[in-house]
Amino acid sequence: MAVRIGMMSFAHMHAYSYAHCVKMLESEGRAQLVGVADHDPERGKQAAQQYDTRFFESYEDLLDAGVDAVIVCPENVRHRPLTEMAAQAGKHVLCEKPLATSKADGRAMIEACKAHSVQLMTAFPCRFSPSYIRLKQMVQAGELGEVLAIRGTNRGRNPGGWFIVPELSGGGAVIDHTVHVTDLCRDLLGSEVVEVYAEISNGFCHGDFDDTGMLTLTFANDVFATLDSSWSRPKVFPTWGDVTLQVVGTKGLAYMDMFAQNSTLYDDREMRITLQHWGSNIDYGLVSAFVESVATGKPVPITGEDGLAAAEVAFAAYESAKRGEPVRLPLPE
Amino acid sequence: MLRVGVVGVGTMGRTHAAAYTRLPNAQLVGFYDMATEAAQRTASQFGVKAFDSYGALLQEVDIVDICTPTPTHLELVVKAAEAGKHILCEKPLGRTLQQCEQMIEAASKAGVTLMPAQVLRFFPEFKQARDLVLAGAVGTPVAIRTRRGGPYPRAANDWYADFEQSGGPILDMVIHDFDWLRWTFGEAERVFAKALTFKGLDHIDYALITLRLRSGAIAHVEANWADPGGFKVDFEIAGDAGMIAFDSRHATPLTVAKQDAGGGGGGVAVPESPLAEDPYFLEIQHFVDSVAAGQPPSITAEDGMKAVEIALAAIESVQTGKVVRLGGGA
């Protein structure tokens, strides 16, 4: 039976890709896109039209329309209220990252979903990258020996809009780009971050938000990692950014450049050179896994706890930059 | 004509020696090395003398070029200075800041030139990047990343593996990047670093170092002695108006793969990056020309010490787990 899905807001651009993936699953008979609601009705109506589905005037109306699950993609600070609303209505939730902008919000979301016996999954599509899956297989098979250190990057460009309004986003580049690689490291190592040091600046955009983050993470198993979460890609950079992991082990070194499967387009009309990605669609893996968990009742592969643990590293990074010293985790509840 | 003696006949000593033989205003006189057989072999290859003692070498030269393990620099430099010789000393200048200070003092007192061999300043990709940065090509630099390294280095007596001698990859290798960062972006304010150096691993070392510069820019330095896949260097300078990126893996105008590499099966493709003038030659040329003209070289002994200071601060951060602030900085 097809899982009936509603989209709660398109404020985050990833919602478009997720909706597209739901439509792909619809064509496979595994899901159905029931409709869209958005606190920005114009945006919501346009998205509903784009994906050939219904627009609902309110989130309540969407939740009343017989959906099994929702995909929550509003501005970061609205993750909590929309997730709580969906949980109370008994709907499973796939929530965009970062899960929350504070530990209290994240904890409340997890508790709400638990209280109403619905599943909460955090949208970390990088876990579904075939390159990452292969890397994880090699690490787990011991091909690199014992993992000792990781160098990660998740760089991009300033997305603008609400992403640079800290009241809506919870920060800037650090909250935006810390969580993906942190989640991959946690997953790869099976160990939690116990200390965070961060150098943060606003040097690229000179705004009231951070655009540069250089984090150093220490894990409970003594592995250390650095993570560059900066919006440092120039406007003319040929692609949006990157997700990279270099894993140093006792028996070898592996380097993953997740989005390196591209051809180069030299476009005279646009006077631009761009990378045309032809690698696998990792968002499809994410949405497909969520739909499968909803359909079968099996636990989601990436939980709310995973989302909160990764977000907590970003919170700790801000705290570290403020204090000018490393910060121990877990942070106080 | 400046007469030159080279101390130490490892890879760097031989590289430097070859450069002197090509200069019109220098004459390679000979070598000294505690390993007398190696010294004799190298000397005969170059058609020059192998000296029995350092003192004997000092009597016949104007310039001493020191290419020996780091902790030996102090004594060799001080003796050369006292003998009135000009000195090119391999990096890192000293194993400790105190050693660096003593060397600087000895050279200053004797009125001789002491130049640390921070050869990266003569690598065209690094010099060009600096020129571009100073010309404002990326606007204000904000986030800088460097990577350097490859397999664990092997040398006489395995001295790189002795931290007390080499200081590991932070002091021995990425001192190059620390010097280039200072030269290009100005002084560092604080450093935080993690490394494998003190984990008791067998011939694996690796460090990730984050610097906050006084300019406000953030620099991330990778020191890698854990990559069996070959030596690699890259850098990226992202500023508020553009970015410069270099990766040695992509700067290979010539690649050769042989059908039979001697191992029976097919060979591995070997990339090359040939240059008309190699950076080591340019470095030696600058040093000799400076001495000949009686001018201070563009790299001072203080520069060598400042780079050591950053490296030692990074090592201290690894050992203490704390942020280390530099040189009475803000």
Side-chain angles (χ1 to χ4, degrees):
Chain A
M1 209 182 69
V3 172
R4 295 164 54 83
I5 291 184
M7 298 292 303
M8 294 178 87
S9 184
F10 279 74
H12 198 295
M13 60 283 217
H14 289 168
Y16 294 90
S17 173
Y18 301 154
H20 175 72
C21 294
V22 174
K23 295 300 280 186
M24 289 167 73
L25 291 164
E26 199 171 272
S27 69
E28 297 167 29
R30 293 175 57 202
Q32 185 198 340
L33 184 57
V34 173
V36 172
D38 200 322
H39 51 278
D40 179 341
E42 280 315 304
R43 183 174 60 206
K45 276 177 199 164
Q46 205 208 343
Q49 195 177 15
Q50 186 178 338
Y51 295 103
D52 192 22
T53 190
R54 210 176 136 193
F55 175 71
F56 291 87
E57 292 295 333
S58 72
Y59 292 120
E60 288 82 356
D61 289 349
L62 174 66
L63 294 170
D64 283 344
V67 298
D68 303 307
V70 291
I71 299 178
V72 173
C73 292
E75 301 84 352
N76 294 343
V77 293
R78 292 194 167 102
H79 286 175
R80 176 177 173 176
L82 294 194
T83 296
E84 286 177 334
M85 190 189 288
Q88 280 156 20
K91 314 303 179 191
H92 302 285
V93 176
L94 172 61
C95 183
E96 179 55 19
K97 63 86 207 168
L99 186 74
T101 57
S102 72
K103 197 164 178 181
D105 281 0
R107 189 65 69 207
M109 292 163 70
I110 291 166
E111 294 306 323
C113 290
K114 201 176 287 174
H116 295 91
S117 302
V118 295
Q119 297 220 62
L120 172 58
M121 177 163 166
T122 308
F124 285 140
C126 295
R127 289 246 207 137
F128 299 90
S129 154
S131 301
Y132 173 70
I133 291 167
R134 178 86 185 93
L135 173 67
K136 188 177 170 183
Q137 281 169 351
M138 284 193 280
V139 167
Q140 289 186 334
E143 288 182 47
L144 300 179
E146 185 192 340
V147 174
L148 303 166
I150 298 175
R151 187 201 62 184
T153 66
N154 179 198
R155 296 169 294 187
R157 287 187 201 125
N158 175 1
W162 62 263
F163 285 88
I164 57 173
V165 180
E167 296 75 36
L168 294 173
S169 64
V174 169
I175 187 108
D176 189 36
H177 272 187
T178 291
V179 292
H180 284 301
V181 169
T182 299
D183 178 66
L184 294 182
C185 292
R186 287 181 64 247
D187 183 55
L188 198 61
L189 299 170
S191 186
E192 294 296 339
V193 178
V194 293
E195 188 193 273
V196 178
Y197 178 76
E199 289 286 359
I200 292 177
S201 92
N202 67 346
F204 288 109
C205 308
H206 311 286
D208 299 328
F209 54 90
D210 57 284
D211 53 35
T212 316
M214 213 71 87
L215 281 62
T216 306
L217 316 181
T218 308
F219 289 82
N221 64 359
D222 215 26
V223 170
F224 62 85
T226 59
L227 163 53
D228 184 342
S229 62
S230 307
W231 288 334
S232 53
R233 302 304 85 184
K235 294 184 188 76
V236 296
F237 201 67
T239 186
W240 60 269
D242 68 14
V243 173
T244 73
L245 281 185
Q246 178 180 273
V247 181
V248 178
T250 51
K251 290 186 185 167
L253 178 146
Y255 178 63
M256 177 195 71
D257 184 354
M258 186 176 281
F259 297 99
Q261 288 157 308
N262 302 296
S263 296
T264 309
L265 171 65
Y266 301 86
D267 185 334
D268 277 351
R269 280 170 300 192
E270 296 291 326
M271 289 295 282
R272 283 209 65 179
I273 301 165
T274 53
L275 300 183
Q276 300 292 311
H277 185 63
W278 47 257
S280 305
N281 180 352
I282 60 175
D283 286 350
Y284 176 82
L286 174 88
V287 177
S288 175
F290 176 63
V291 162
E292 190 187 325
S293 285
V294 171
T296 62
K298 83 173 191 188
V300 290
I302 310 165
T303 62
E305 281 83 357
D306 290 329
L308 182 55
E312 192 168 350
V313 170
F315 308 152
Y318 285 119
E319 184 64 24
S320 167
K322 199 159 62 177
R323 288 195 222 159
E325 60 186 37
V327 166
R328 299 297 295 181
L329 266 63
L331 298 172
E333 288 287 336
Chain B
M1 184 67 72
L2 292 160
R3 296 165 302 157
V4 182
V6 174
V7 186
V9 295
T11 306
M12 205 45 66
R14 294 195 306 272
T15 302
H16 284 194
Y20 290 111
T21 64
R22 292 177 49 209
L23 285 173
N25 52 351
Q27 183 201 352
L28 179 67
V29 172
F31 293 92
Y32 170 70
D33 196 306
M34 281 165 65
T36 48
E37 274 181 36
Q40 275 159 8
R41 209 178 319 123
T42 307
S44 71
Q45 280 162 5
F46 279 86
V48 296
K49 243 189 247 183
F51 291 96
D52 293 337
S53 70
Y54 185 47
L57 179 143
L58 287 176
Q59 284 178 4
E60 291 189 32
V61 301
D62 307 301
I63 284 174
V64 181
D65 185 325
I66 297 167
C67 296
T68 55
T70 310
T72 65
H73 291 175
L74 174 64
E75 192 188 338
L76 295 169
V77 165
V78 169
K79 279 187 178 164
E82 285 169 357
K85 312 302 175 189
H86 300 287
I87 306 148
L88 180 67
C89 182
E90 252 315 314
K91 43 52 56 181
L93 183 60
R95 181 63 185 79
T96 66
L97 281 182
Q98 199 191 12
Q99 289 180 0
C100 294
E101 280 165 6
Q102 284 176 264
M103 285 183 249
I104 289 169
E105 199 188 312
S108 161
K109 204 168 139 194
V112 297
T113 297
L114 170 59
M115 178 173 127
Q118 300 291 169
V119 72
L120 208 63
R121 298 193 188 198
F122 299 92
F123 273 69
E125 62 273 38
F126 282 89
K127 181 173 188 310
Q128 181 199 57
R130 176 180 185 264
D131 290 344
L132 286 167
V133 166
L134 295 188
V138 300
T140 302
V142 180
I144 304 136
R145 296 178 65 89
T146 67
R147 174 188 50 187
R148 181 173 303 279
Y152 202 93
R154 305 278 174 169
N157 304 318
D158 201 17
W159 75 274
Y160 287 110
D162 179 357
F163 175 78
E164 291 309 318
Q165 287 196 66
S166 71
I170 296 178
L171 180 64
D172 188 76
M173 183 172 60
V174 294
I175 188 123
H176 284 300
D177 302 285
F178 295 144
D179 176 64
W180 176 75
L181 287 167
R182 272 191 71 242
W183 188 46
T184 307
F185 306 100
E187 300 295 341
E189 184 178 312
R190 57 181 183 257
V191 56
F192 187 78
K194 295 280 177 188
L196 302 178
T197 308
F198 305 105
K199 296 198 176 184
L201 296 157
D202 181 24
H203 289 84
I204 290 179
D205 209 339
Y206 185 81
L208 296 171
I209 303 138
T210 302
L211 300 171
R212 189 70 179 228
L213 308 183
R214 286 193 195 163
S215 69
I218 299 166
H220 179 274
V221 174
E222 175 183 348
N224 194 333
W225 282 356
D227 184 357
F231 191 79
K232 300 177 192 80
V233 174
D234 69 30
F235 63 75
E236 187 187 278
I237 306 160
D240 62 2
M243 184 169 97
I244 305 167
F246 162 79
D247 189 331
S248 62
R249 290 173 303 174
H250 304 139
T252 53
L254 179 64
T255 305
V256 179
K258 294 177 182 167
Q259 289 288 4
D260 188 346
V268 177
V270 178
E272 292 184 34
S273 178
L275 289 167
E277 287 304 350
D278 83 89
Y280 297 94
F281 176 78
L282 296 173
E283 172 188 53
I284 300 287
Q285 184 180 47
H286 173 71
F287 171 67
V288 170
D289 286 350
S290 299
V291 170
Q295 299 286 332
S298 60
I299 312 171
T300 67
E302 285 77 12
D303 289 330
M305 184 169 78
K306 290 271 190 184
V308 170
E309 185 184 16
I310 296 172
L312 295 179
I315 291 167
E316 185 187 334
S317 177
V318 171
Q319 289 175 313
T320 62
K322 295 197 163 83
V323 183
V324 178
R325 275 153 226 286
L326 281 143

